C-alpha cells in the first residue's frame, strides 16, 4: 500500500510528520490536521456516489437484458408475406445485445465489493485504477450493444426504401415497443458507465 | 499549478529540498535525485506513447470518414427490384458514422497540443484529467458509430429471413467492401481511445 507513505493520511501519521519537521509548529499542525480530513471525506463522498451509480447501472442493465430477452410476439393473424412470430433471437444483433447486457450486469455485481473497498479506504488507488480500466472497457461494450440494437430498431420502425428493407413495426407493435425500451435502458447504463469512469479519474487525481 | 508543490519534480527542486532537510545528507541526496528522474521519465514515456497513439487514432478516424464518405457505387445494369446506385447517404446510420468519425478526427487534432503539454510537464494532472474525460466520451461516440454501422453492414451481407430484409451485397460488392473497411477502421480508432483512457488513468495515479 503506497497510500500509507503519502502526506494526506489518517490522524496517526500527523504525529510522525510533526516530529520530522520541526520549524513553525503552530501553523504547520493546523494545515496537516485540516487537509487529510477534508481530502478523505471528499474522496469518500465520491466513492459512495460511485457505489450508488453502480446500483443504478445494475438496474438499467438488468432491465435491458430481461426486457429484450423476454420479447416474443405472436400475431393473431398471418398474411402471405409476413410471418406469425417475432422474437429477439430472430436477429443476431439483439442476441448480442442480451449477452452484452447480461455480462455488464454480472461485471457490475462483481465490482460492488471493490467499490466498497474504495469507500472504506478512500486512498486505495489500486482498486480505483482497476475499476476505471474495466469500466472503460464496459463503456465500449454496452455502447456497442445499445448502438447496434438502436440501428436495427430504427430500421424496424422506418424501413429503408433504397435497400428494399421494409418497416416491420406496423405489424409487430408490441415487439418494437419492448425492444425500444430495452435500447433506452442500455443507453442509460452506458451513460452511467461514462460517469463512473469520470468519477474514478477525479478521485485518482492527486493533490 | 499544484504540481510544482509536489516532491517528484525537476532537477531545480532537488537543491531546495536538499537545503530544507539537513539530516543524513549522503543517503538522502541519492534517493531524492533518483526518484524524480525515474517518475518524471516514466510519466513522460507514457505521455509520448499517448501522443503517438493519438496520431494513429487520427489516421484511423480519417480513413474511416473518407472511406465511408466517398463510397458510391453505380451498377452497370438494373433489374425490376434493385436500384442503380448505392451511396453512404442512403442509410441514416452511415451518415451518423461519417459525422461521428469526422468529429472524432477533429477532437483528436485539437487534443494534440494538450498531449504535448503532458510531455513537457509530466506532472500536469489537470491536462491529463481533461483528456481522460473527453477521451471517455469519444470512446462511447466512436464505438456507437462503429457498432451501429457494423449492424447494418452485417444485415447488408447476410440479410434476415425473419424480417424479409434481403442481403444487398450480392449486387453492391464494391460498396459493401468499402463500407466494411470503414467499420474496421472505426473500431481500431475506438480501441485506441480505450488505450488512451487507460494510459491517462495510469499516469494520473499518484505514487
Amino acid at each position: 500500500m503506497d497510500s500509507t507513505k503519502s502526506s494526506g493520511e489518517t490522524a496517526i501519521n500527523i504525529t510522525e510528520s510533526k516530529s520530522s519537521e520541526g520549524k513553525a509548529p503552530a501553523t504547520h499542525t493546523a494545515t496537516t490536521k485540516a487537509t487529510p480530513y477534508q481530502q478523505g471525506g471528499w474522496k469518500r463522498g465520491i466513492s459512495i456516489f460511485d457505489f450508488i451509480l453502480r446500483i443504478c447501472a445494475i438496474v438499467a442493465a438488468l432491465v435491458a437484458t430481461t426486457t429484450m430477452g423476454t420479447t416474443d410476439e405472436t400475431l393473431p393473424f398471418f398474411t402471405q408475406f409476413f410471418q406469425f412470430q417475432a422474437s429477439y433471437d430472430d436477429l443476431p444483433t439483439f442476441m448480442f445485445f442480451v449477452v452484452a447486457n447480461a455480462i455488464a450486469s454480472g461485471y457490475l455485481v462483481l465490482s460492488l465489493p471493490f467499490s466498497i473497498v474504495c469507500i472504506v479506504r478512500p486512498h486505495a488507488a489500486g482498486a480505483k485504477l482497476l475499476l476505471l480500466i474495466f469500466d472503460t472497457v464496459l463503456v465500449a461494450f454496452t455502447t456497442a450493444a445499445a448502438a447496434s440494437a438502436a440501428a436495427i430498431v430504427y430500421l424496424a420502425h422506418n424501413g429503408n426504401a433504397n435497400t428494399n428493407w421494409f418497416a416491420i413495426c406496423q405489424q409487430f407493435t408490441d415487439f418494437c415497443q419492448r425492444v425500444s425500451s430495452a435500447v433506452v435502458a442500455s443507453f442509460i447504463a452506458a451513460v452511467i458507465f461514462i460517469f463512473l469512469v469520470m468519477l474514478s479519474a477525479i478521485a485518482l487525481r492527486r493533490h
Side-chain angles (χ1 to χ4, degrees), chain A:
Chain A
M1 292 289 142
D2 52 0
S3 61
T4 49
K5 289 173 191 167
S6 67
S7 63
E9 251 298 285
T10 49
I12 308 154
N13 278 22
I14 296 165
T15 344
E16 291 179 68
S17 63
K18 225 164 65 177
S19 62
S20 63
E21 295 169 39
K23 46 176 185 174
T27 40
H28 231 87
T29 333
T31 45
T32 30
K33 247 180 191 166
T35 319
Y37 267 97
Q38 203 187 341
Q39 252 202 36
W42 170 77
K43 290 208 170 185
R44 184 162 290 163
I46 285 186
S47 299
I48 292 169
F49 192 47
D50 178 284
F51 186 80
I52 295 166
L53 275 183
R54 266 171 216 284
I55 289 173
C56 296
I58 290 175
V59 173
L62 276 182
V63 165
T65 313
T66 50
T67 309
M68 183 68 91
T70 55
T71 297
D72 203 341
E73 191 183 4
T74 310
L75 288 188
F77 62 89
F78 63 95
T79 67
Q80 196 185 343
F81 298 108
F82 293 102
Q83 54 171 357
F84 319 88
Q85 203 187 31
S87 169
Y88 81 95
D89 52 5
D90 289 336
L91 288 148
T93 312
F94 289 165
M95 288 181 74
F96 168 65
F97 181 93
V98 171
V99 172
N101 275 289
I103 290 174
S105 312
Y107 160 76
L108 280 165
V109 171
L110 289 176
S111 75
L112 284 181
F114 290 93
S115 185
I116 292 168
V117 166
C118 290
I119 296 174
V120 178
R121 298 172 136 270
H123 295 281
K128 280 200 195 84
L129 188 67
L130 196 76
L131 283 179
L132 193 150
I133 288 173
F134 279 101
D135 284 350
T136 309
V137 175
L138 267 286
V139 165
F141 212 59
T142 45
T143 312
S148 56
I152 299 295
V153 168
Y154 181 85
L155 204 62
H157 272 287
N158 297 85
N160 190 292
N162 300 303
T163 51
N164 287 311
W165 292 336
F166 302 107
I168 57 162
C169 282
Q170 277 89 6
Q171 284 77 40
F172 297 100
T173 44
D174 187 51
F175 174 78
C176 281
Q177 212 170 351
R178 283 180 71 92
V179 165
S180 306
S181 317
V183 168
V184 170
S186 186
F187 268 120
I188 290 170
V191 169
I192 293 175
F193 268 119
I194 292 176
F195 277 112
L196 285 175
V197 170
M198 288 177 181
L199 277 183
S200 299
I202 292 167
L204 264 181
R205 189 187 166 183
R206 65 163 160 186
H207 283 263

